[in-house]
Amino acid sequence: GSNPAGADEFGDTSAPDAADAAEQVGAQLADRNTEVAVPLIAAVRQYVSLALSRSLAAADSMAQALGLGLFELALRHVRTYMRREMEVLLGEIVLPVVESRGAGSLAARARMLQTLARVAAQPQLVVELYLNYDCAEDAGVSVFQRLAEALCRLAGAHVGLPHKTSASYAVAADTDDSASAAAWRAVQQRMTAFNAHSNDADAGAHTAPTPALLTFGAERDTTSNGHGVYDEYAVRQLALDALAALLQSMVVWSDRLADPGAEPTARDSGTEAASEPSSGADPDDPHELLTIKTRKAQLAAGSRQFAWKPRKGIEAWRAAGLLTSNDPREVARFLYAHRGALDKVQLGEYLGEGDAHNVAVMHAFIDCVDFTHTAFVPALRRLLQAFRLPGEAQKIDRFMLKFAERFVMSNPDAGFANADAAYVLAYSVVLLNTDQHSPQVKHRMTRAEFISNNRGINDGSDLDPQMLSDVFDQVVNEEIKLKDDPLQGRVQGAQGSGSLFVLWGNSTAN
């Protein structure tokens, strides 16, 4: 089947941060005197994410259904450890399918709507989606907003009556008394703020509606092969069910805020333990959430300006108060902190400009990158994940000069006599990368030629031949190129936060 954008983003396991984390854990495990506690999800989440991305994008209905079941379980129980992965899955696969208008995707859309309806019926999970994506500056997808907009659009779509042979026809025409009665019973059974204080023994706990209740108006036609066939009316009914569950979860949240003494149930929370908030924001303060949401909107508006003209973006951020001055260090720290939301081509061009202010910003930007205890090629890869390296030789030269200085300062025992030696090798690695991976180059550089080209660069002496050979192998085996890796988050231990809702950890276990 065809994979939508992002379906294979988890297939790359060679990202610098992930590789470095694996090397650090391996080194710690190699030391028999060191005990390392690595959460199981930290060891398997990249494989779970890859399996989810492929199954959710699969053309086979059974594979997709199984993937949706696994996705729902992961979202309910291990979302605190998979914040970045869930953002990619929701933003690149699930929501685009729900938002699509093609008739060919009706079945897939219906399956995803059923899953989203069950997710939307959990107040704790709904609010945490809003907190961790819509109100997080480092999140590229406003999950709650996109989901609500998609459900409203589908629920309000004008569709004709289904065919008389369709199982949806009875509800649509309202001619089947039993169907109407079943629909009314389902509405009455849905927990609301108005019947939450009834005499029913279980009225105090909000329970997620079962799939049967969620889909009372969207029964499936069944063909001879047993596979479900959905019409547009059934899909609209599924969207209405999901939207009703979403609104009900908001009502439950409002009731809980009105009664802070009420403790959320384990069923509402969807996770056995809460993690510490990933920011200093109080997730129970609506005014603070509004401030964060506004700041995120201002950041996004400036990012769009930055993608057109970097200086315009910086001016927009200053006008919004996100930047308080034009000080190079403040600008650099801001750009580095929000590099994931910026156009990396424009970021590279801006940092590579030759005027004094841009050079100062570039120096401060590279100073934000930690190269400590990192090998030469992985360190260069890490730097070049932050922006796209410009093509002009003068700009590359300025970047490599500063990189060499920063690398030698962070790794004084790396074998370089001075920063000049690291600079020459860095530039040589950039040339080797082009030589080995450009389709225009017919005759590739050999290992012996690479080592020969770098003789005498270490303050008149030679660098370690084994190190140069390792550098050659690393570049030949894997091209140094920009790639947006969604597995950069770091796992944080789950701990109680004491607040109603949880900001999920966004960082990998070391």
Side-chain angles (χ1 to χ4, degrees):
S2 60
N3 287 344
D8 290 326
E9 291 193 41
F10 301 109
D12 181 10
T13 60
S14 59
D17 289 350
D20 292 343
E23 289 175 0
Q24 291 173 11
V25 172
Q28 290 175 324
L29 292 175
D31 184 355
R32 296 178 180 269
N33 297 322
T34 302
E35 293 184 0
V36 181
V38 180
L40 176 61
I41 186 61
V44 303
R45 66 176 185 169
Q46 92 179 32
Y47 306 105
V48 172
S49 302
L50 178 60
L52 279 172
S53 66
R54 290 178 174 172
S55 59
L56 291 177
D60 182 77
S61 60
M62 181 164 294
Q64 188 180 67
L66 291 173
L68 284 169
L70 178 58
F71 170 76
E72 183 180 352
L73 288 173
L75 192 57
R76 292 181 61 182
H77 298 292
V78 295
R79 60 183 181 269
T80 58
Y81 299 100
M82 299 181 67
R83 179 185 176 216
R84 297 298 186 192
E85 292 85 344
M86 288 299 167
E87 179 180 353
V88 173
L89 293 170
L90 286 164
E92 300 294 339
I93 302 178
V94 176
L95 290 176
V97 171
V98 174
E99 294 166 341
S100 65
R101 302 174 185 271
S105 63
L106 280 176
R109 198 184 316 167
R111 285 190 289 269
M112 291 192 178
L113 283 171
Q114 288 176 317
T115 300
L116 291 174
R118 292 191 292 273
V119 169
Q122 303 173 59
Q124 182 92 5
L125 180 50
V126 168
V127 177
E128 290 183 16
L129 285 173
Y130 178 74
L131 288 176
N132 290 279
Y133 297 119
D134 295 64
C135 292
E137 295 179 15
D138 60 343
V141 181
S142 296
V143 173
F144 183 89
Q145 179 179 339
R146 281 185 60 180
L147 176 60
E149 289 176 349
L151 292 178
C152 288
R153 183 165 54 249
L154 284 174
H158 177 72
V159 296
L161 288 176
H163 192 272
K164 290 185 178 182
T165 60
S166 169
S168 304
Y169 178 77
V171 175
D174 197 23
T175 58
D176 189 334
D177 292 339
S178 62
S180 298
W184 177 241
R185 284 196 302 272
V187 171
Q188 288 179 313
Q189 291 172 12
R190 191 182 294 278
M191 185 69 67
T192 69
F194 302 103
N195 62 15
H197 303 289
S198 66
N199 295 327
D200 183 45
D202 296 328
H206 173 75
T207 58
T210 64
L213 291 180
L214 286 172
T215 58
F216 66 84
E219 293 85 0
R220 293 185 297 176
D221 295 336
T222 304
T223 61
S224 58
N225 61 9
H227 292 168
V229 178
Y230 294 85
D231 54 39
E232 292 184 354
Y233 187 86
V235 169
R236 191 184 76 166
Q237 292 302 107
L238 286 171
L240 280 169
D241 287 330
L243 185 59
L246 188 68
L247 293 173
Q248 173 56 33
S249 291
M250 295 171 64
V251 171
V252 172
W253 176 37
S254 300
D255 290 347
R256 191 174 299 165
L257 287 178
D259 184 11
E263 292 294 333
T265 65
R267 181 176 295 176
D268 286 343
S269 66
T271 182
E272 296 178 359
S275 64
E276 288 289 345
S278 58
S279 71
D282 179 4
D284 299 332
D285 185 352
H287 298 290
E288 192 163 358
L289 294 180
L290 180 60
T291 300
I292 297 174
K293 181 72 172 174
T294 302
R295 178 182 170 92
K296 183 179 180 181
Q298 293 169 339
L299 175 65
S303 298
R304 290 190 292 270
Q305 294 280 348
F306 189 91
W308 172 58
K309 194 172 184 180
R311 295 186 189 278
K312 292 292 184 181
I314 292 174
E315 290 173 4
W317 290 323
R318 289 190 62 186
L322 302 183
L323 283 171
T324 59
S325 71
N326 204 33
D327 178 70
R329 288 173 296 181
E330 181 185 357
V331 173
R333 285 193 295 266
F334 182 88
L335 294 176
Y336 186 77
H338 299 96
R339 62 193 183 279
L342 303 180
D343 185 300
K344 294 191 176 183
V345 175
Q346 290 285 26
L347 179 58
E349 292 293 337
Y350 175 77
L351 295 174
E353 291 295 334
D355 66 83
H357 179 76
N358 289 66
V359 171
V361 172
M362 182 266 287
H363 285 187
F365 185 94
I366 295 180
D367 284 338
C368 293
V369 188
D370 183 15
F371 299 129
T372 307
H373 305 305
T374 307
F376 191 80
V377 173
L380 188 56
R381 290 187 196 277
R382 181 176 299 175
L383 174 65
L384 298 182
Q385 292 307 301
F387 57 87
R388 184 178 295 278
L389 189 67
E392 294 88 338
Q394 290 183 339
K395 293 183 179 181
I396 295 175
D397 188 73
R398 285 191 288 269
F399 278 117
M400 294 303 105
L401 274 171
K402 178 58 185 176
F403 165 75
E405 174 193 317
R406 175 70 173 166
F407 179 82
V408 171
M409 185 181 298
S410 301
N411 300 276
D413 299 326
F416 295 98
N418 49 45
D420 289 341
Y423 157 70
V424 175
L425 180 60
Y427 210 106
S428 180
V429 166
V430 172
L431 296 177
L432 174 66
N433 189 68
T434 303
D435 175 89
Q436 294 295 315
H437 300 284
S438 173
Q440 283 78 29
V441 177
K442 302 301 181 185
H443 302 286
R444 310 288 186 191
M445 187 185 303
T446 65
R447 185 192 310 272
E449 290 172 337
F450 177 73
I451 295 176
S452 176
N453 290 342
N454 288 283
R455 284 178 180 164
I457 67 173
N458 198 26
D459 197 21
S461 60
D462 293 340
L463 290 170
D464 180 10
Q466 184 59 50
M467 184 195 75
L468 290 176
S469 181
D470 292 342
V471 167
F472 181 86
D473 288 336
Q474 291 168 1
V475 175
V476 170
N477 293 334
E478 182 186 357
E479 181 182 3
I480 300 176
K481 61 181 179 179
L482 179 67
K483 45 194 168 189
D484 292 320
D485 177 25
L487 302 178
Q488 291 177 355
R490 313 185 71 179
V491 172
Q492 296 178 346
Q495 302 175 358
S497 66
S499 60
L500 291 180
F501 305 106
V502 179
L503 296 178
W504 308 339
N506 58 357
S507 57
T508 31
N510 289 329

